[in-house]
Amino acid sequence: MSYTIKSNTYLIEIGDLEDSSFQDFMEQKYVNSRKIIVVDENTNEYCLEYLLTSFDFLKEAEIILIPEGEDSKVLDLCAQIWDTWTDYHIERKDVVINLGGGIVSDVGGFAASIYKRGIDFINVPTTLLAMVDASIGGKTGVDLGKFKNQLGVFTDPQRVFVDLAFLQTLPVGEVYNGFAEMLKHGLIVNAKHWEELSVLNEVEQEITIEHIYTSLSIKNGIILEDPFESGLRKKLNFGHTIGHALEGHFAEKDPISHGYAVALGVLAESFISFKKNFITLSELNDIERVLLSNYECIDLSGENLNEIYQLMLNDKKNVQQKILCVLLIGIGECVIDQEISEQEIVESLEYLNRLHQEEKNAHEN
Ligand SMILES: NC(=O)c1ccc[n+]([C@@H]2O[C@H](COP(=O)([O-])OP(=O)(O)OC[C@H]3O[C@@H](n4cnc5c(N)ncnc54)[C@H](O)[C@@H]3O)[C@@H](O)[C@H]2O)c1
């Protein structure tokens, strides 16, 4: 089974990499180009060999190995990559293959977009999150201190190849990180997708190529309408205003993953949607049930909630210092650019903490 989705300037192929157009595409377009493969420690260990042994034309590829984790999403690391490419005499006609999760595609894509005013790159995502989200859409970039994705550019990959075989070595927790973005896709525009994902018990075993294709199609459909996030694309930020702030808040002391932060953000922003009477209590309860059956809620009792709120003041989606957020107006429907107040944000964080306490009490009884 395989699928092809047409994005803005490139194709997304979903299916077995060896049966895809990967080889033909590379041999036609990049016959005289040097190939650079960007990997992190884990994709170097678990994914690279498959690529190198399956495709002869990658025999001479230069490998750029970056440390795993969000700490790699910094400008310093890009500067090291650019120095290495300069030492290797990498030219404009050469091509980068990002083999990894969202960190590799964000960093590798950003480094490629800037180097010599831009060299081509291809994404071969190896995490669920990168397969359904980070590998498409053209956003590349790095963090600046506590602020996520503060530096970046929009540059499309030349092609994206999604092969579910890479998920075999992915830790289960990482599968749930990607699943949070898939649930978000359903909640914002496609109630049927939400319902289909809601009934999965063991996501790592039950996720199918069709689920991944649907999520990718949803994201791609939104991007096609608004590639540079001047309007509709903001829908994809549902769960990310509060999610990013939580991720930034915990970054230095006890980091939480992006996907988990999004799951918490989805809960908190659904709560605000309910408080504003945009969704019903039964819709909020449905979201709560599904999210809490897949994710533990976070303990915020010892945290300064105002500090988390302060982080949102620097969110890229804000206008004139107002915090603007995507809110649900039903399951499968949302509205963008909704102003949310400090009080609503703090109450939503208290709500997360309450859910955590309830979970804890239930475990103890
Ligand atoms: N550019 C975008 O549009 C976009 C969208 C969503 C998220 N993101 C960014 O993506 C990042 C998160 O991406 P992620 O969740 O993929 O994290 P990640 O890239 O850190 O990967 C998660 C972990 O899985 C390991 N790994 C990757 N593939 C593996 C495999 N096949 N087998 C075993 N281990 C493997 C990695 O080494 C890492 O330890 C965040 O920085 C987020 O901001 C970007």
Side-chain angles (χ1 to χ4, degrees), residues 1-5 10-31 35 50-51 54-55 57-58 97 122-124 158-163:
M1 180 72 72
S2 68
Y3 295 94
T4 300
I5 298 176
Y10 59 97
L11 294 180
I12 305 158
E13 289 187 37
I14 313 161
D16 191 336
L17 192 59
E18 285 181 81
D19 296 335
S20 74
S21 72
F22 183 56
Q23 174 141 356
D24 288 349
F25 179 70
M26 294 298 288
E27 285 179 349
Q28 279 164 21
K29 188 158 184 186
Y30 300 108
V31 64
K35 285 92 182 165
Y50 164 64
L51 212 64
S54 306
F55 301 100
F57 65 88
L58 292 176
I97 298 168
I122 285 160
N123 288 335
V124 182
Q158 292 301 309
R159 206 159 275 202
V160 179
F161 295 95
V162 177
D163 185 341

Side-chain angles (χ1 to χ4, degrees), residues 36-85:
I36 305 143
I37 306 177
V38 182
V39 285
D40 73 9
E41 290 150 304
N42 291 318
T43 60
N44 183 48
E45 183 171 346
Y46 299 115
C47 310
L48 183 61
E49 194 183 334
Y50 164 64
L51 212 64
L52 296 181
T53 52
S54 306
F55 301 100
D56 264 3
F57 65 88
L58 292 176
K59 264 202 318 259
E60 311 279 303
E62 305 286 359
I63 310 299
I64 299 287
L65 173 61
I66 66 172
E68 73 84 39
E70 188 78 26
D71 287 352
S72 284
K73 253 180 81 167
V74 288
L75 211 48
D76 276 357
L77 191 104
C78 293
Q80 288 174 34
I81 294 176
W82 292 320
D83 279 341
T84 309
W85 289 351

Side-chain angles (χ1 to χ4, degrees), residues 8-292:
N8 232 357
T9 57
Y10 59 97
L11 294 180
I12 305 158
E13 289 187 37
I14 313 161
D16 191 336
L17 192 59
E18 285 181 81
D19 296 335
S20 74
S21 72
F22 183 56
Q23 174 141 356
D24 288 349
F25 179 70
M26 294 298 288
E27 285 179 349
Q28 279 164 21
K29 188 158 184 186
Y30 300 108
V31 64
N32 293 317
S33 306
R34 290 171 65 203
K35 285 92 182 165
I36 305 143
I37 306 177
V38 182
V39 285
D40 73 9
E41 290 150 304
N42 291 318
T43 60
N44 183 48
E45 183 171 346
Y46 299 115
C47 310
L48 183 61
E49 194 183 334
Y50 164 64
L51 212 64
L52 296 181
T53 52
S54 306
F55 301 100
D56 264 3
F57 65 88
L58 292 176
K59 264 202 318 259
E60 311 279 303
E62 305 286 359
I63 310 299
I64 299 287
L65 173 61
I66 66 172
E68 73 84 39
E70 188 78 26
D71 287 352
S72 284
K73 253 180 81 167
V74 288
L75 211 48
D76 276 357
L77 191 104
C78 293
Q80 288 174 34
I81 294 176
W82 292 320
D83 279 341
T84 309
W85 289 351
T86 305
D87 290 345
Y88 289 171
H89 307 292
I90 298 302
E91 298 174 0
R92 286 282 281 277
K93 64 173 176 37
D94 296 334
V95 60
V96 173
I97 298 168
N98 294 316
L99 178 67
I103 302 291
V104 167
S105 54
D106 274 8
V107 170
F110 180 67
S113 310
I114 298 293
Y115 183 77
K116 297 194 174 176
R117 296 206 175 85
I119 58 176
D120 285 356
F121 66 92
I122 285 160
N123 288 335
V124 182
T126 63
T127 63
L128 182 61
L129 185 135
M131 289 181 187
V132 296
D133 191 356
S135 65
I136 72 158
K139 281 188 181 178
T140 69
V142 294
D143 303 332
L144 188 65
K146 282 186 173 185
F147 299 106
K148 287 270 304 167
N149 305 324
Q150 192 80 342
L151 309 173
V153 288
F154 281 100
T155 312
D156 279 344
Q158 292 301 309
R159 206 159 275 202
V160 179
F161 295 95
V162 177
D163 185 341
L164 275 68
F166 289 118
L167 296 179
Q168 283 163 15
T169 55
L170 193 67
V172 173
E174 294 299 339
V175 174
Y176 281 87
N177 286 336
F179 190 59
E181 297 283 1
M182 297 178 77
L183 289 171
K184 177 200 77 179
H185 289 148
L187 281 176
I188 57 173
V189 291
N190 187 328
K192 184 164 174 273
H193 191 46
W194 163 259
E195 278 156 26
E196 284 171 1
L197 297 177
S198 296
V199 296
L200 301 186
N201 289 316
E202 289 178 74
V203 176
E204 70 282 11
Q205 285 169 27
E206 294 172 38
I207 202 95
T208 63
I209 190 168
E210 284 76 22
H211 294 135
I212 290 176
Y213 167 73
T214 306
S215 258
L216 269 171
S217 302
I218 290 172
K219 176 163 180 180
N220 189 52
I222 294 175
I223 289 163
L224 286 179
E225 287 188 64
D226 175 22
F228 300 112
E229 203 168 273
S230 46
L232 280 184
R233 184 168 175 162
K234 292 180 196 168
K235 286 182 179 179
L236 293 167
N237 293 326
F238 177 60
H240 284 62
T241 303
I242 293 177
H244 273 168
L246 287 168
E247 202 179 346
H249 177 76
F250 285 102
E252 275 160 23
K253 41 183 171 177
D254 189 9
I256 59 173
S257 69
H258 177 75
Y260 178 50
V262 169
L264 297 170
V266 163
L267 266 174
E269 292 173 24
S270 298
F271 175 77
I272 298 176
S273 309
F274 166 67
K275 291 302 273 186
K276 284 186 182 289
N277 286 324
F278 290 178
I279 60 170
T280 63
L281 181 60
S282 112
E283 287 169 329
L284 177 66
N285 287 340
D286 184 31
I287 296 168
E288 225 177 78
R289 180 186 55 76
V290 175
L291 269 288
L292 294 182

